[in-house]
Amino acid sequence: MIVILFGPPGAGKGTQAQRIEREKGLVQLSTGDMLRAAVGAGTEMGLKAKAKMEAGQLVSDDIVIGIIRDRIQEDDCKNGFILDGFPRTVAQAEALDGMLDAQGLKLDAVIEMKVDDNALVDRISGRYTCAKCKAGYHDTNLKPKVDGVCDVCGGTEFSRRADDNAATVGKRLEEYYALTAPVLPYYAEKGVLQQVDGMAGIEEVAAQIDAVLAA
Ligand code: ADP
Ligand code: ADP
Ligand code: ZN
């Protein structure tokens, strides 16, 4: 199964993609995570992406399309994958169609998670992740069961993203509405677009997504 989780920054894509990976064995492909890994490793690609990410702007289509083209050919993607944060422009969506066609693969669903801007700012400012296994948490919405200890791996170190600050969030939302939201009519025309209420709690959103995946 090939599924796209679609929505603005902070909508809950990563949270749900991680869960689906754990529960259903589909691989989570997050271009944001891959770009942060490249920035951390100081690769040439990372150097190109870094300034854009810090400014809350999209990284160039060439870079992210190249990343996904290579990644979906790896063995672990054979049973299907969930795209989280890709495609983010119409050009990326078109490129993805080309790649899937070339491999004889088909997109099963694009799930749009709708969340109000105010809630997005709250979600992004409270977001943090386990430094070891990257499990996602939130200061008030999703705390580890034991304070300071990761539920998934027992790690005790956590980190916050450099771009999860009030100044950058506004720019990221602007980029979303200007460049990413226009992808929605593209998928609506193809008849694969589904919506869930991203304002609901994490469990309720999970149930709505699972209902789409089961259909
Ligand atoms: P995205 O990948 O779309 O940017 P995340 O999955 O990282 O979003 O979620 C952003 C923050 O909001 C995280 O701290 C997460 O724990 C929290 N969160 C995710 N889903 C919900 C939800 N349905 N209700 C409240 N908080 C949520
Ligand atoms: P969020 O889910 O909070 O928007 P991501 O981790 O998906 O954050 O992305 C972080 C940053 O990485 C984006 O602001 C952008 O600079 C870059 N990025 C991630 N995915 C893409 C993409 N598909 N196209 C262009 N830039 C991307
Ligand atoms: Zn962990």
Side-chain angles (χ1 to χ4, degrees):
M1 185 149 51
I2 299 175
V3 179
I4 296 174
L5 289 188
F6 197 96
K13 303 180 297 293
T15 302
Q16 296 296 333
Q18 283 185 353
R19 176 191 66 84
I20 296 168
E21 180 173 78
R22 277 196 310 272
E23 292 178 1
K24 302 188 195 292
L26 301 181
V27 187
Q28 174 196 14
L29 303 184
S30 157
T31 40
D33 286 348
M34 295 176 207
L35 289 167
R36 279 185 289 281
V39 171
T43 63
E44 195 186 330
M45 180 208 295
L47 291 176
K48 282 189 193 152
K50 189 168 189 272
K52 293 279 188 195
M53 293 172 78
E54 281 175 355
Q57 293 175 318
L58 293 186
V59 172
S60 77
D61 287 336
D62 291 1
I63 291 183
V64 288
I65 289 168
I67 293 181
I68 289 294
R69 177 170 286 127
D70 292 346
R71 185 66 185 85
I72 65 175
Q73 292 179 43
E74 285 177 36
D75 259 7
D76 61 343
C77 290
K78 293 243 150 53
N79 295 326
F81 47 87
I82 315 154
L83 291 162
D84 158 10
F86 181 95
R88 257 176 156 99
T89 62
V90 172
Q92 291 177 24
E94 289 169 350
L96 176 64
D97 273 344
M99 292 173 215
L100 295 180
D101 277 351
Q103 289 190 241
L105 299 172
K106 160 181 151 293
L107 180 60
D108 293 281
V110 179
I111 303 178
E112 181 194 3
M113 305 175 69
K114 289 173 86 86
V115 179
D116 300 347
D117 285 3
N118 287 340
L120 295 173
V121 174
D122 167 73
R123 287 185 189 183
I124 288 173
S125 25
R127 165 161 63 189
Y128 65 97
T129 53
C130 171
K132 198 162 143 202
C133 77
K134 307 293 173 208
Y137 295 97
H138 188 277
D139 289 329
T140 49
N141 304 348
L142 179 62
K143 301 198 241 183
K145 290 189 184 77
V146 178
D147 206 27
V149 181
C150 174
D151 293 346
V152 180
C153 77
T156 52
E157 282 183 45
F158 297 87
S159 61
R160 289 180 195 259
R161 279 168 47 180
D163 61 340
D164 278 353
N165 59 71
T168 311
V169 169
K171 184 67 198 168
R172 283 157 65 195
L173 288 176
E174 263 177 45
E175 295 273 280
Y176 177 78
Y177 291 112
L179 300 169
T180 305
V183 177
L184 290 167
Y186 176 86
Y187 285 125
E189 258 173 49
K190 291 182 180 288
V192 290
L193 184 64
Q194 308 274 349
Q195 285 169 340
V196 299
D197 174 17
M199 292 297 288
I202 293 175
E203 300 300 323
E204 169 59 23
V205 175
Q208 289 186 24
I209 289 176
D210 286 354
V212 171
L213 297 182

